[in-house]
Amino acid sequence: MKITLAHGSGGLSTGELIDEIFASRFSNPVLDKMEDSAVIPGAGTIAMTTDSFVVDPVVFPGGDIGRLAVCGTVNDLLMRCARPKYLTCGFILEEGVDSELLAEVVTSMADTAKEAGVIIVAGDTKVIEGNGGFYINTAGVGFVDDGVSCESANCKDGDVIIVSGNLGDHHAAILSNRMHIENNIASDVAPLNDMVFNMINDGVNIHALRDITRGGLGTILNELADASGTQMDIYEEKLPIDKEVEGFCKILGLDPMYMGNEGKLALVVPAEDADRALNIIRNSKYGESAAVIGNVVSGSGVVMHTKLGGRRGIGVLVGEGLPRIC
Amino acid sequence: MKITLAHGSGGLSTGELIDEIFASRFSNPVLDKMEDSAVIPGAGTIAMTTDSFVVDPVVFPGGDIGRLAVCGTVNDLLMRCARPKYLTCGFILEEGVDSELLAEVVTSMADTAKEAGVIIVAGDTKVIEGNGGFYINTAGVGFVDDGVSCESANCKDGDVIIVSGNLGDHHAAILSNRMHIENNIASDVAPLNDMVFNMINDGVNIHALRDITRGGLGTILNELADASGTQMDIYEEKLPIDKEVEGFCKILGLDPMYMGNEGKLALVVPAEDADRALNIIRNSKYGESAAVIGNVVSGSGVVMHTKLGGRRGIGVLVGEGLPRIC
């Protein structure tokens, strides 16, 4: 079946689309009520976030837009040490979308939501003119435990910077696919619940957490430095990068500092907690390549100590690295 | 300034776009932190919903996509008797969007959010190839008071059906604009906080509330009938319709039963509360044309008693009434 404008009418065809594609795959007692909004248990402090996903292609090595749409929002909640609970999803479909492709993506969303421990409580579908593309927005709510404070401004002189694994995988996978280059590079898109809650449950004093997405590690470290009034010193030789991705970057002249991941985080912790945090992440799902990459010092901006012994200032990404990466 | 793909990079240009267009207009202490997610006070029971907005044109008589994006989600929260609190917004911009138009829409969103008593706590911007169009997703969270239960399944035999004002205004305004017909028809897009909370505060026993959007009153009444296992009997002569909209519909052969509004609700209350509810709505903002239109009876489906004394079964909307109305 091909999607038509009638599927966005709000009438019979919309109902059929919802029944056939969405309702069965996302089914839960909250969503099944099909009301104007979901009424659900809350908490004293909540986290809330949103992301839209326009990745091209919608299915890529290692994942698809559905898995991405769940992970992106779940990870943003985790970055404030919130327990992800509820997602909403809004689909904007261009006419001509193949319903089998849509069903595949929705199945992937449902599977990823299950992995990440969230339920989809509300949704919306619109149809626009076009040529078979589609976009997904997700918004999420998580619960924040009493006394937890995890934000960029908390980074302190003396803290240690850890990244949870290899840089640039998602960017390299999307670009390889778009350039029709055959290799073994796959997106790292994944929900990071496991590593974050293993650290929280073990009492790691998390100062700041950021997931490494658009703009790459370089941009995110600058945001951490700006928000906290500190300098981020990192060491090029310590940056974890997959060999194949590294080769791919060298050939194309890409800088992994500005390449997006979709299943990696940057963590800032006090020095005394660094070894423990690193061990916990390495023993968590999706964290096997984690590494300490540098330190927070007094100053401003981001400085990379290069392999050749020099120092290089790292700014935020200028221009567009790769359009529609997420 | 025209928006380019670089504005979706997550780097410098994205930061400039956020600073120049979004941050100043939406500024509040939560959003200003610019973290991966907002951390905010919650409540024991919350309502959550989402809608994407693809209306064409983005500015129309009586409103714009920004006001629509706030009202649509705020009203969906209100329809569960929740107090709207927080919105997220996700913008998908096509290359070439004029930043002045974007700023106008964002200002309208900010103004409408203020009117509706919500704050925008998180946002996201993506840029895709295209020709200057844009889409907005909003998701919302509201707080639900203890003991409040307002849902479609609550409709009971003997209840009274009220609509809060004239039908079809939004649909007729969009269609007039697209057909370049000059008239005085304007969209009714509005947040309905005032009438809903005036009823709640006065102790009206609200059985069900639905806002009348895509699919129109006909589709919504069918959903209420299905969810509650009842029949909705309505009277054609009682349907409130603006004279100019009525004339517009007659000329074009449109049926107001299937035309969307964006600032109207259908209310189902016990008979003993009907007069009070009607008075409250009529004396609330945006409710001056409210009317009792029929009753809930035993049976199934929706039956209209026509002006000529006949009976007409009202199904859900089949096909597409008007694409991209919201």
Side-chain angles (χ1 to χ4, degrees):
Chain A
M1 184 178 78
K2 296 287 183 187
I3 301 300
T4 67
L5 285 174
H7 288 110
S9 64
L12 186 67
S13 301
T14 305
E16 287 171 355
L17 176 68
I18 290 171
D19 287 347
E20 287 171 24
I21 305 284
F22 298 111
S24 55
R25 291 173 178 84
F26 290 160
S27 177
N28 63 62
V30 178
L31 187 68
D32 294 351
K33 282 186 183 269
M34 295 283 174
E35 294 282 349
D36 283 337
S37 58
V39 173
I40 41 191
T45 304
I46 61 175
M48 191 174 179
T49 190
T50 191
D51 260 329
S52 298
F53 298 87
V54 301
V55 65
D56 176 29
V58 293
V59 179
F60 47 80
D64 59 75
I65 190 172
R67 182 166 172 81
L68 199 58
V70 172
C71 294
T73 290
V74 161
N75 289 344
D76 278 346
L77 294 172
L78 289 167
M79 295 308 106
R80 301 299 300 277
C81 293
R83 299 178 190 274
K85 290 285 181 182
Y86 309 120
L87 291 191
T88 62
C89 66
F91 280 78
I92 298 178
L93 310 175
E94 290 182 359
E95 272 192 303
V97 172
D98 189 278
S99 61
E100 286 182 21
L101 174 64
L102 189 60
E104 180 188 335
V105 165
V106 172
T107 299
S108 171
M109 282 189 83
D111 292 345
T112 310
K114 197 171 177 188
E115 180 185 352
V118 293
I119 59 170
I120 291 162
V121 297
D124 177 62
T125 308
K126 295 291 190 307
V127 183
I128 58 175
E129 305 83 351
N131 195 22
F134 61 95
Y135 314 117
I136 304 176
N137 174 284
T138 51
V141 161
F143 295 173
V144 181
D145 292 350
D146 284 349
V148 168
S149 164
C150 169
E151 61 181 62
S152 306
N154 292 347
C155 301
K156 286 186 178 57
D157 184 6
D159 284 354
V160 170
I161 309 166
I162 293 171
V163 296
S164 67
N166 293 328
L167 300 176
D169 294 8
H170 179 72
H171 183 125
I174 296 290
L175 184 55
S176 296
N177 188 271
R178 251 187 249 168
M179 294 175 75
H180 305 287
I181 296 173
E182 289 201 12
N183 56 30
N184 298 307
I185 299 172
S187 169
D188 57 331
V189 57
L192 301 176
N193 308 54
D194 194 44
M195 64 179 72
V196 172
F197 283 100
N198 286 344
M199 285 193 287
I200 291 175
N201 295 340
D202 202 68
V204 171
N205 181 7
I206 297 171
H207 279 177
L209 276 177
R210 293 291 302 271
D211 58 339
I212 304 168
T213 56
R214 278 187 303 175
L217 180 63
T219 302
I220 283 153
L221 290 178
N222 271 281
E223 291 170 0
L224 290 170
D226 285 352
S228 58
T230 63
Q231 178 176 312
M232 305 282 149
D233 263 20
I234 60 170
Y235 295 85
E236 188 178 12
E237 65 186 4
K238 294 185 176 176
L239 295 175
I241 303 176
D242 171 79
K243 285 288 165 208
E244 194 167 358
V245 172
E246 192 172 25
F248 179 83
C249 292
K250 279 189 177 156
I251 291 169
L252 293 175
L254 298 172
D255 185 348
M257 285 300 290
Y258 298 109
M259 292 168 66
N261 290 82
E262 289 293 341
K264 299 288 156 53
L265 56 79
L267 165 72
V268 177
V269 286
E272 62 268 26
D273 283 11
D275 285 348
R276 190 156 51 105
L278 183 65
N279 272 325
I280 290 171
I281 295 177
R282 281 192 177 154
N283 287 302
S284 299
K285 207 170 173 183
Y286 308 120
E288 64 277 2
S289 310
V292 169
I293 64 159
N295 309 90
V296 181
V297 299
S298 65
S300 64
V302 180
V303 173
M304 180 191 277
H305 299 260
T306 68
K307 287 176 182 171
L308 296 172
R311 287 166 158 249
R312 177 184 150 208
I314 301 283
V316 301
L317 173 65
V318 176
E320 173 55 285
L322 181 64
R324 299 183 62 174
I325 189 178
C326 63
Chain B
M1 184 180 76
K2 297 287 184 187
I3 301 300
T4 68
L5 285 174
H7 288 109
S9 64
L12 186 67
S13 301
T14 305
E16 288 172 354
L17 176 68
I18 290 171
D19 287 346
E20 286 170 24
I21 305 285
F22 298 111
S24 55
R25 292 173 177 84
F26 290 161
S27 178
N28 62 63
V30 177
L31 186 69
D32 294 351
K33 281 186 183 269
M34 295 284 174
E35 294 282 349
D36 283 338
S37 58
V39 172
I40 42 191
T45 304
I46 61 176
M48 192 175 177
T49 190
T50 192
D51 260 330
S52 297
F53 298 87
V54 300
V55 65
D56 177 28
V58 294
V59 179
F60 46 81
D64 59 75
I65 189 172
R67 182 166 172 81
L68 199 58
V70 172
C71 293
T73 289
V74 161
N75 289 343
D76 278 346
L77 295 172
L78 289 167
M79 296 307 106
R80 302 300 299 278
C81 293
R83 299 177 191 274
K85 290 285 180 182
Y86 309 121
L87 292 191
T88 62
C89 66
F91 280 80
I92 298 178
L93 310 175
E94 291 181 0
E95 272 192 303
V97 172
D98 189 278
S99 61
E100 285 182 21
L101 173 63
L102 189 61
E104 180 188 334
V105 165
V106 171
T107 299
S108 171
M109 282 189 83
D111 292 345
T112 309
K114 197 171 176 187
E115 181 185 352
V118 294
I119 59 170
I120 291 163
V121 297
D124 177 62
T125 308
K126 294 293 190 306
V127 183
I128 58 175
E129 305 83 352
N131 197 22
F134 61 95
Y135 315 116
I136 304 176
N137 174 283
T138 51
V141 161
F143 295 172
V144 182
D145 291 351
D146 285 348
V148 168
S149 165
C150 170
E151 60 182 62
S152 305
N154 292 348
C155 302
K156 287 186 179 56
D157 184 5
D159 284 354
V160 170
I161 309 166
I162 293 171
V163 296
S164 68
N166 293 330
L167 300 175
D169 294 8
H170 178 72
H171 183 125
I174 296 290
L175 184 55
S176 298
N177 188 272
R178 252 188 247 167
M179 294 174 74
H180 304 287
I181 295 173
E182 290 202 11
N183 56 30
N184 299 306
I185 299 172
S187 169
D188 57 331
V189 56
L192 301 176
N193 308 53
D194 195 44
M195 64 178 72
V196 172
F197 282 101
N198 286 344
M199 286 193 286
I200 291 175
N201 294 340
D202 203 68
V204 172
N205 181 7
I206 297 171
H207 278 177
L209 274 178
R210 293 291 301 271
D211 59 338
I212 304 168
T213 56
R214 278 187 302 174
L217 181 64
T219 302
I220 284 154
L221 290 178
N222 270 281
E223 291 170 359
L224 289 170
D226 286 351
S228 58
T230 62
Q231 178 176 314
M232 304 283 147
D233 264 19
I234 60 170
Y235 296 84
E236 188 178 13
E237 65 186 3
K238 294 185 176 176
L239 296 175
I241 303 177
D242 171 79
K243 285 287 165 210
E244 193 166 358
V245 171
E246 191 171 26
F248 179 83
C249 292
K250 278 188 177 155
I251 291 169
L252 293 175
L254 298 172
D255 185 348
M257 285 300 290
Y258 298 109
M259 292 167 66
N261 290 82
E262 289 293 341
K264 298 288 155 52
L265 57 79
L267 165 72
V268 177
V269 286
E272 63 268 26
D273 283 10
D275 285 348
R276 188 156 52 104
L278 182 65
N279 272 327
I280 290 170
I281 295 177
R282 281 192 176 154
N283 287 302
S284 299
K285 206 170 173 183
Y286 308 119
E288 63 278 3
S289 311
V292 169
I293 64 159
N295 309 89
V296 181
V297 299
S298 66
S300 64
V302 180
V303 173
M304 181 192 277
H305 299 260
T306 68
K307 286 176 182 169
L308 296 171
R311 286 165 158 251
R312 176 184 151 208
I314 301 282
V316 302
L317 173 66
V318 176
E320 173 55 286
L322 181 65
R324 299 183 63 174
I325 189 178
C326 63

